[in-house]
Amino acid sequence: MRAEPFAPDALTEDAMLGGRVRLLQPKDGYRAGTDPVVLAAAVAAQPGQSVLELGCGAGPGLCCLGARVPGLRLSGLELHSPDTPRWPAATWRTTG
């Protein structure tokens, strides 16, 4: 059984990296802070490589890494209980 998607008013659009990254995340529960920014800075990825993040949540770490290193193939996996709302198909975007 699949849960319904998050209602639009249950999400906020937040900026990271000085607005280079825009991220949708739930108003309630875990919200990304500086941890994914530090994680992304510590990854020694090179353009053209693939990166997989397990337990990525809304994807802020991948998002920040993609903004720092262009040309990566990024994948993330997040498992939730069946009663947790589904994430929108696209939860982030980079600008600039």
Side-chain angles (χ1 to χ4, degrees):
M1 177 192 320
R2 283 206 144 154
E4 293 300 313
F6 280 100
D9 63 347
L11 297 170
T12 61
E13 184 174 335
D14 303 297
M16 300 180 94
L17 299 178
R20 290 180 53 207
V21 170
R22 307 292 295 182
L23 175 72
L24 291 177
Q25 55 185 341
K27 287 181 181 177
D28 298 319
Y30 173 78
R31 296 183 49 80
T34 57
D35 290 353
V37 177
V38 173
L39 174 66
V43 175
Q46 300 293 317
Q49 291 181 322
S50 296
V51 176
L52 170 64
E53 182 181 6
L54 303 176
C56 65
L62 290 171
C63 188
C64 292
L65 179 59
R68 184 175 68 82
V69 183
L72 293 174
R73 289 181 300 275
L74 302 172
S75 300
L77 177 66
E78 180 64 37
L79 300 178
H80 292 282
S81 66
D83 60 338
T84 302
R86 290 181 288 140
W87 290 103
T91 58
W92 58 271
R93 68 176 184 262
T94 59
T95 58

